[in-house]
Amino acid sequence: MIQRLKRIARRIIYGRKQPQYTDTEAISDTPTANENIAFLNTLRIEKDAESLIKRQVTKLAFNSSYLVIEGTAWFENYPEQDTERIIKSLVLTNDMGEELEIPLINTHSENTDFPYAGYHGDVNFSTLSNGKPLIPGTYEIKIQLKQYLGNGWLIRRTTIGQVADTQQDLNYTTKMTSYSAKSNKSYSLIFRYNLAAQALKVTSYKLSDVNPLENEFTEDVGLDSAAMRAIKSRALKVWYRWYCLQPIHKKQISFVSDSRVTISGNFEFIYQELKRRNTDFKISFYLKPSIKTKKSWKEVRTLAKALATSRYVILDDFYPLVYPLHIRENADLIQVWHAVGAFKTFGYSRLGMPGGPKIQSLNHRNYTKALVSSHNIADKYAEGFGIAPDKVQPLGIPRTDIFFDEPKKQAIRERLENDLPFIKGKKVILFAPTFRGNGQQSAYYPFEMLNFKEIYEALHEDYVFLLKIHPFVQNKPTLPYEYSNFYYDVSDYREINDLLLVADQLITDYSSVCFEYALLNRPMIFFAPDLADYMQSRSFYFNYFDFIPGSLAENTGELINQLQHPQVDQAKLDGFVNFFFDDLDGKSTARFVDALENDFVDPDAAELENTDGLAISEDGKIIPDWGKKAK
C-alpha cells in the first residue's frame, strides 16, 4: 500500500511538473505511524529538491547607506519565459521575527532557459522604515523568489548566495541621519557578509537622539533659546508701538536679515546703486546669521526703533520678528526675496502640506511690496506671501544684473581663479541642490543618492566638482581623502552667482538657482532620484518635467553620462528665460532704486488724483501707482 501511494505521488510530481504547496494530508490506512512520517518526509524532500533556488550575486556594492545588489536567481526545474510570473525580493528578518520585504527588479540573463533570472536592487537604508532609517536591530537578509506555476505561487527564500570574485568575509560600516524639528537622530549601519554561509546580515543601532529645540547653547556660541526669543519678540513689539509715536524719517532705509552677516546678494546691489547715485538716504543694516543668533536687549530696542521710524524696511528672506507688527501708514516693508522665479511651492501655497503654515499664521502677510522677476509669476508670489497681487512688483531681481555686466563678470572670474586655484585648467561642475525637510530645524540632504566613487573615477582627470550645499543643511558628505583633488566644498562661499560664472555645468534638483544659471546659456542637469517623494511632500508651481530647462538624471550612472555629453535644448531654454524674466537688460537694481527715490510712484505718470490707489497718465490711461497708499 505504501509503495503504491509513493508511485502515485511521484507520478503527480514528475508527470505534471507542479509541486504541492501545502503539507500532504495524513494517510489514515498506513500500517504504522513511523512509516507514515517517513513517507511524508520523502514527499517533502522530493518537493524541496525541485524548488531549490539557484542563485549568485554578481555585484554587491555599498555607497553610504545605499546597498546595490545584482545577480541571478531561479527555480532550476521550472523554466519561465514570462516576467509577470516571477517576483524577486529581499526579505529582512530581525531577531524578533519581524519582516521587511524589498522588491527587486527583474533583469535579463544570458541563460536562454531562464531569460528573467537576473535581478537588480538599490536599497536606501536611510529611508527604509516609512521614510526613516532602518529600525535598530540585527536583520538577516535573504533573497525570496516567487513563481506562478498555474495553480498557485511557489515561494521560497534563502541566503543571497556566493558573491562573485569574493574570497573572504566582507564588512562595511556607515552612518545614517534623520532630521525633524524636534528630533535629530544618528545611526550606525553595519553590513556583514559571511563567505562560508553565503549569508548577509545588517545591524542598525542608534548613536544619538538630540532635540534641537531643547539643546541650544546660549552664552558659549551666542544663541538664544526658543523661550528667550519669544520674550524678546514680545519686548520688540512693545518698543515698536512706543517708537511709532515718533515721526517716520522719510530718508531712512533699514536693511534687515536673520540669514546673513555680510552685505551681499540683493542688499549689495541695492546699496551700491544708492551709493553710486550719491542719494541723501540714511542707510542702516541690521544683520544676523540666523534667527537663533542672540540679540542683546539694546539690539532689540534699536531694531524696534528702526522698524518703526524708517520709510523703507527691506528684507531678503524669512524674518519672523517683523510679521506681528502693523506697518505704519506711509512706510513700506519690502521683500526682495533672495530666490528668483517660482519653482517649488512656498509659504501659503503649502497650506495643508507637511511643514506648511497654518491658515491663521501672520508670516509674510504684512509686506507692502515684493519684488519678482516677471509678471508671469506675480500671482505665485502673492499666493505664497498671502498678500494682494497689486503689491507684487515685476521690477526684476537686483542680484541678476551681474549676468549682463561683462566687465564685472570677467573680474569675478579672475578673482575666483585666485581664490580657488584648483579650477584652473579644469572643467568646473557646480553641485547646488536644495535641502530636504520642512525647514531649518529639519533640513538635510540625502548624500547617499550620489555615488562619489563612481563620479570620481569617471571624471576626475578633466573636471573638478564643487559642492555648494544649502546653508540650512545640517549633515555633511563624507568624502575619502583620495578624492581631495576633485571634490571641493565651497558651501561657505556666500554669493552663489559668482560660482555660477565659473561653472561649465550645473547640477541642481529643485533649487531656484536654475533661473540665474539659465541666463548663462549653459547646460544644467536636474539630479532627482527622489522626485516622487519630493513631489508628494513639497509640490511645484509647474509640471516638473515640462518646467526644467535641462536634462533629468535619476541615478548616478545617468548623471555621469550627461556630464560627459552636455547638451542644451536652446528652444526650451530661451522659452524658459523669456517666461521668467520680463527684462533682460541688467537694470533691475536701477528700476528698484528709481522706485525708492520716487516714493514708488511712476515718474512717467502725471498723477491727477490719488484717492483710490490709481493714477492717470498723460495719455489718459488709468494705471496702478505701485501700491502707494491714499492720503
Side-chain angles (χ1 to χ4, degrees), residues 100 124-135 178 444 533:
L100 183 63
N124 184 2
F125 286 83
S126 286
T127 59
L128 200 55
S129 300
N130 296 319
K132 301 295 183 181
L134 179 65
I135 296 172
S178 173
Y444 70 99
D533 293 335

Side-chain angles (χ1 to χ4, degrees), residues 543-593:
N543 180 281
Y544 186 84
F545 300 100
D546 296 335
F547 166 86
I548 58 174
S551 57
L552 174 65
E554 297 187 271
N555 56 59
T556 296
E558 292 178 0
L559 176 63
I560 292 171
N561 181 63
Q562 291 171 24
L563 287 169
Q564 292 174 325
H565 305 92
Q567 294 181 346
V568 173
D569 185 335
Q570 196 63 57
K572 187 171 186 178
L573 188 60
D574 289 345
F576 179 88
V577 169
N578 290 328
F579 183 86
F580 287 103
F581 293 90
D582 278 355
D583 301 289
L584 299 171
D585 56 5
K587 297 180 180 179
S588 297
T589 308
R591 278 188 291 274
F592 179 69
V593 174

Side-chain angles (χ1 to χ4, degrees), residues 4 14 40 60 78 94 96 99 121 125 135 175 232 300 341 367 390 483 513 517 574 576 578 585:
R4 181 185 174 197
Y14 293 110
L40 293 175
L60 187 68
Y78 301 102
N94 65 13
M96 304 296 292
E99 294 185 350
F125 286 83
I135 296 172
K175 288 185 178 180
K232 289 181 178 179
V300 173
Y367 301 149
D390 62 356
Y483 302 160
V513 70
Y517 198 69
D574 289 345
F576 179 88
N578 290 328
D585 56 5

Side-chain angles (χ1 to χ4, degrees), residues 139-208:
Y139 299 78
E140 188 173 9
I141 303 177
K142 290 189 174 183
I143 187 166
Q144 176 175 280
L145 183 59
K146 298 171 63 177
Q147 186 167 329
Y148 188 74
L149 300 179
N151 63 343
W153 289 92
L154 174 61
I155 304 173
R156 291 287 182 272
R157 66 179 62 163
T158 185
T159 58
I160 65 169
Q162 175 70 41
V163 178
D165 302 322
T166 297
Q167 306 300 324
Q168 61 184 12
D169 292 349
L170 301 176
N171 293 279
Y172 177 80
T173 301
T174 188
K175 288 185 178 180
M176 303 182 293
T177 52
S178 173
Y179 295 94
S180 69
K182 295 184 179 181
S183 180
N184 294 347
K185 301 182 180 72
S186 67
Y187 301 80
S188 178
L189 189 67
I190 304 171
F191 294 93
R192 298 183 179 90
Y193 173 74
N194 185 287
L195 180 63
Q198 300 183 356
L200 180 65
K201 290 186 176 182
V202 61
T203 299
S204 169
Y205 66 89
K206 189 186 298 182
L207 295 174
S208 65

